[in-house]
Amino acid sequence: MTEAGAPTGRARVVRYLGLTGAVLLAVAGWLGGVLPEVPPTGPWRAPHGPAVVSCWLAGTALMVGAWWALRAGAPSTGWAYRTAGLWSLPLLLTPPLASRDVYSYACQGWSYAAGHDPYRVGVAAAGCPWVDAVAPIWRDTPAPYGPVFVLLAALAAEAGGSLPGTLLVLRLYAVAGVLLAALCLPGLARAAGVPTRRAAWLGLASPLVGVHLVAGAHNDAVLLGLLLLGLLVLVRAPGRTRGLLVAGVLLGLAVAVKATALVVLPFAALTAVHGRYTLRALLRDGGRLAGAVLATLAAVSALSGLGLGWVAGLVRSGDSQQWTSPPTAVGFVVDYVGELAGRRPDAVPVTRAVGLLVLVVLLAVLWWRAWTVLRRLNDVRQRVHRLAAARPRVTLGAAGVALAATVLLAPVLHPWYVTGPLLLLAVSATRTTWFVVPAAVAAFLTLPDGTTVARYSKAPGAIVLTGLLVVLLVGALHGRRRNGTGRPRERGAGPAGET
């Protein structure tokens, strides 16, 4: 890769290897993707089973390998955008891939448009004509998404008129969300001092974006577009009343798409502070931002007539149990050990509750660390320049780590959940391997027809993941003991330092 940014022969090979992978994934989608009339019984049981699995695994491996090869950065930002767009083209033309969630969106939108409350009535009871395409586990559960996305889904159902038309509109929403996020990446990366060519490559060329956000049309794309735009407004105009109001509206809309955005709000409040970091400044600027967020949530809840009923749907989202969630994996292993001892402990609810408790504590620690780092910069010379440079790096990095912790400690982990922390860390982290490796692994966790690898590897997957957690925990404790528990970490050292 040349310093001037001209693509080398290696970069060209990477571009076309990734494109070949995308084409193979598209072929797998047409032969055995998430078609409405085909239940998710495993792609190997389809008429073209061996070809479907072969194309899917080869395509995923090629895309992951190509993405990994340039993880230090593409030849230029423009080259990264063009390559990511090229890889997305075959995936735009396939049936939905790797998840049946888009059919749930369609039916929830149809239910609301037909006068039903999707937070009270499941899509089967509402009489959705496309209910057979929805995964059985979600046919009788309330919608877990915010009122903004329910309204968008209803608009898609009415504008589309049929299931294919509705799916087309929902995919257009997802593409619009990805494009909006792509527009925000360079500005956020420059503010945080990260090379834009690296941020664009890591954030957009990942197979998770192409497969799950573009082809899968997950609403995480809409969430991320609004979230990143809100953060960009804050980064460019901290403390300005108009900027705080605009950012608050955008972040409120993001929360009203999916509750995951709530995790970012405390760190957005730190980004909103103008000048020196004091409690008074935080209450002033963070309070204005919070007021705009709450006003937006109240407005969309009232205008839609849906209120906050989606909280009930969030509770039911944990009905699915897969070892890909670390707390769930630990619960499985405890159950296996209990069965060997002649007992049935049913530890999964307990380990999930412990995971959520750990998450709450960890989020508080991350916020306090970010606040402390920013407060420390109050006392340095040229504080205005230092704060302006440090604020985005510290707050965006902390928000990315917070989202990553939320994904890992939540009761359920699906591969598309990883796109949130991936994009935020792509624009803020100084070291990348620690979050690029899990994102690469996540790309292999689903099959084209919507089934998951976890479904067929429950015991070995849970045991391996639990063992890995134990190794990481022991390694972390050993490292702290060797370095001295009382000595603070140097600023900028590792993921925590980056925040």
Side-chain angles (χ1 to χ4, degrees):
M1 188 179 302
T2 64
E3 189 67 25
T8 63
R10 176 171 176 262
R12 295 189 185 96
V13 170
V14 165
R15 168 180 277 179
Y16 291 107
L17 281 178
L19 177 60
T20 303
V23 171
L24 288 173
L25 292 179
V27 171
W30 281 111
L31 293 178
V34 187
L35 301 172
E37 67 275 8
V38 180
T41 56
W44 46 82
R45 298 180 185 177
H48 307 286
V52 171
V53 175
S54 298
C55 287
W56 185 259
L57 293 179
T60 302
L62 285 173
M63 287 197 76
V64 169
W67 182 57
W68 175 267
L70 296 182
R71 64 192 181 279
S76 68
T77 305
W79 190 92
Y81 274 82
R82 290 189 295 273
T83 302
L86 183 65
W87 292 2
S88 296
L89 288 178
L91 301 174
L92 273 173
L93 305 176
T94 66
L97 286 180
S99 169
R100 305 190 76 85
D101 280 6
V102 69
Y103 295 113
S104 295
Y105 304 161
C107 268
Q108 288 160 6
W110 182 93
S111 298
Y112 178 76
H116 301 282
D117 185 346
Y119 300 146
R120 296 178 180 272
V121 180
V123 294
C128 177
W130 314 315
V131 69
D132 290 340
V134 178
I137 191 174
W138 306 125
R139 293 176 185 174
D140 300 308
T141 58
Y145 311 114
V148 165
F149 189 73
V150 170
L151 290 172
L152 289 174
L155 179 61
E158 291 189 326
S162 63
L163 181 57
T166 303
L167 297 183
L168 175 61
V169 178
L170 289 170
R171 180 168 286 182
L172 290 176
Y173 290 161
V175 171
V178 172
L179 290 176
L180 185 56
L183 290 174
C184 298
L185 287 177
L188 291 171
R190 281 192 291 268
V194 169
T196 57
R197 61 191 181 92
R198 195 201 75 185
W201 181 257
L202 292 181
L204 298 177
S206 166
L208 295 175
V209 173
V211 171
H212 296 292
L213 299 191
V214 175
H218 281 282
N219 57 10
D220 297 73
V222 179
L223 162 72
L224 289 172
L226 293 169
L227 183 65
L228 292 185
L229 183 58
L231 292 174
L232 181 61
V233 171
L234 284 180
V235 164
R236 290 185 170 177
R240 297 180 184 175
T241 301
R242 181 178 298 179
L244 291 176
L245 293 179
V246 172
V249 170
L250 290 167
L251 295 176
L253 292 175
V255 173
V257 169
K258 206 168 184 180
T260 312
L262 284 169
V263 175
V264 177
L265 297 185
F267 304 96
L270 292 178
T271 311
V273 174
H274 177 65
R276 301 183 69 216
Y277 276 83
T278 63
L279 182 59
R280 181 179 180 180
L282 177 63
L283 292 175
R284 179 194 65 216
D285 298 331
R288 292 175 185 170
L289 179 70
V293 171
L294 292 175
T296 302
L297 286 173
V300 295
S301 297
L303 292 174
S304 65
L306 292 170
L308 298 177
W310 51 307
V311 175
L314 292 174
V315 175
R316 293 296 301 274
S317 63
D319 289 356
S320 173
Q321 292 189 1
Q322 299 177 6
W323 64 259
T324 51
S325 159
T328 303
V330 173
F332 285 160
V333 171
V334 172
D335 285 345
Y336 297 150
V337 173
E339 289 174 3
L340 291 175
R343 300 179 180 179
R344 298 182 63 84
D346 191 22
V348 171
V350 176
T351 56
R352 284 179 163 184
V354 171
L356 292 176
L357 179 61
V358 172
L359 175 61
V360 170
V361 174
L362 183 57
L363 292 178
V365 170
L366 286 169
W367 188 90
W368 182 254
R369 178 178 174 82
W371 169 255
T372 303
V373 170
L374 293 169
R375 287 271 295 174
R376 191 181 300 134
L377 292 176
N378 285 342
D379 301 323
V380 301
R381 292 182 179 180
Q382 298 178 332
R383 64 171 64 96
V384 174
H385 173 74
R386 291 287 299 275
L387 274 175
R391 180 187 291 110
R393 183 179 68 251
V394 172
T395 56
L396 294 176
V401 174
L403 267 182
T406 302
V407 169
L408 289 173
L409 293 173
V412 179
L413 191 160
H414 295 298
W416 50 92
Y417 292 178
V418 179
T419 56
L422 175 64
L423 264 67
L424 273 176
L425 292 171
V427 300
S428 60
T430 57
R431 292 189 291 181
T432 61
T433 302
W434 66 276
F435 68 88
V436 170
V437 170
V441 172
F444 289 92
L445 293 179
T446 52
L447 297 171
D449 73 333
T451 57
T452 67
V453 174
R455 177 179 175 183
Y456 303 101
S457 55
K458 180 178 177 180
I463 293 170
V464 169
L465 183 55
T466 301
L468 178 62
L469 291 174
V470 171
V471 170
L472 292 176
L473 181 60
V474 171
L477 293 175
H478 178 70
R480 284 181 62 84
R481 189 178 298 112
R482 186 175 61 181
N483 294 331
T485 56
R487 187 173 63 192
R489 207 176 196 174
E490 291 185 9
R491 189 181 309 157
E498 291 164 4
T499 64

